[in-house]
């Protein structure tokens, strides 16, 4: 083990309490993606931490009523390609959902609270890796942070995805600090999502007196729902989830409106093209005569994350370093959820996703993270970065 890595590990070991303190602060600063004023408070706290580290930082506006993307650079004058840390500051939980003013807690080695796992633990790791490397005398490459304020809704209505592509370009590698699976896998490919809202229109009529005069929007919606559900192709990693349905007003009236919302996930461009064509065919061709459909297709700005040759080489480099320093080797996994790892790869930088704290049940009130993984992941990343000295390309 090199002296630099030893010093980095020593820093992490001696600052465990400080790492936990920052993690707690960030979690207690609650903020759902559609609460930009609260997410901005999280951003401000991270920026304050960056200031104390000598990290030059700025916030890039991404759209009205959106928290911006926080970008920071440590050692911007260094000549090597930057090591990038990506992630997001927003959560899926509205303020107060976990109860109390300070919802973060640790029980039996597990940390709980809104975003403890997804993904304020990952942000904490990224910041303390940079601190540990600075303490150890690392000055090989710039270290760059790109933390989005509107990732959890897929950058809907914003340029957040574009910013991630542009700011993530040109790095030697990127650690996307998303939720780490409990089984110690790292994510090397992800789907993108397609959201569809179908508003079916029919003709209302009295269900007893004028039944045949009606055109039942709920029945038409049912046909659409079943046809859309058949888009699922598990062999190709494609899923279609009819998620929300609402229609009708009173039981003795033929309903003239019905709305269905679908969540679709695809992992290849070929499947994406197939699904988009099928949506048009299904929704524009009525089954119940006299009905019609108005629909909206919302494609996520979190693009498909591919396991490219560059990503594969980066993964091998990480595993070689982890094994060398006594850590368990990582497995690989594909995840159906989207992230900005795909945008970073589009920008030309190989990225590994899910390098944050390990845990389970993100996006649910049961969300928790394994506390010890906060320190373990920080050490692994610090070792990987140190061993990139003199490496031009991964």
């Amino acid at each position: 083990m090199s002296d630099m890595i030893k010093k980095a590990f020593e820093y992490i070991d001696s600052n465990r309490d400080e790492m936990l303190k920052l993690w707690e602060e960030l979690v207690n600063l609650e903020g759902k993606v559609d609460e930009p004023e609260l997410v901005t408070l999280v951003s401000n706290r991270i920026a304050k931490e960056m200031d104390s580290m000598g990290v030059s930082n700025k916030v890039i506006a991404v759209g009205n009523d959106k928290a911006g993307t926080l970008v920071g650079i440590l050692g911007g004058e260094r000549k090597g390609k930057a090591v990038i840390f990506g992630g997001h500051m927003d959560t899926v939980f509205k303020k107060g959902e976990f109860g109390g003013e300070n919802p973060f807690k640790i029980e039996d080695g597990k940390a709980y609270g809104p975003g403890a796992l997804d993904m304020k633990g990952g942000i904490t790791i990224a910041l303390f890796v940079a601190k540990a490397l600075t303490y150890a005398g690392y000055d090989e490459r710039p270290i760059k942070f790109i933390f989005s304020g509107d990732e959890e809704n897929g950058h809907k209505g914003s340029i957040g995805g574009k910013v991630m592509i542009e700011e993530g370009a040109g790095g030697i590698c990127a650690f996307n600090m998303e939720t780490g699976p409990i089984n110690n896998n790292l994510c090397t490919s992800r789907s993108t999502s397609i959201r569809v809202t179908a508003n079916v229109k029919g003709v209302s009529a009295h269900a007893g007196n004028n039944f045949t005069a009606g055109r039942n929007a709920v029945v038409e919606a049912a046909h659409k729902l079943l046809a859309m559900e058949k888009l699922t192709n598990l062999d190709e990693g494609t899923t279609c989830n009819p998620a929300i349905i609402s229609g009708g007003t009173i039981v003795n009236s033929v309903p003239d409106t019905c709305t269905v919302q679908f969540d679709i996930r695809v992992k290849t461009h070929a499947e994406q093209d197939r699904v988009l064509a099928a949506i048009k065919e299904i929704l524009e061709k009525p089954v119940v005569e006299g009905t019609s459909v108005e629909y909206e297709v919302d494609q996520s700005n979190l693009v498909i994350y591919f396991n490219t040759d560059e990503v594969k080489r980066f993964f091998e480099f990480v595993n070689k370093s982890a094994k060398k320093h006594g850590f368990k080797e990582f497995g690989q996994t594909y995840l159906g959820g989207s992230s900005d790892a795909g945008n970073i790869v589009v920008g030309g930088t190989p990225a590994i996703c899910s390098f944050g704290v390990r845990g389970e049940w993100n996006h649910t009130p049961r969300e928790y993270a394994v506390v010890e993984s906060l320190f373990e992941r920080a050490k692994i990343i610090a070792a990987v970065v140190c061993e990139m000295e003199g490496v031009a390309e991964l």
Side-chain angles (χ1 to χ4, degrees), residues 205-220:
H206 191 284
N209 296 338
N210 297 298
F211 179 81
T212 58
R215 298 293 181 267
N216 196 309
V218 170
V219 172
E220 178 66 13

Side-chain angles (χ1 to χ4, degrees), residues 369-381:
V370 178
V371 171
E372 195 60 32
S373 67
L374 186 77
F375 316 114
E376 182 182 87
R377 291 286 172 95
K379 288 182 177 180
I380 294 170
I381 296 172

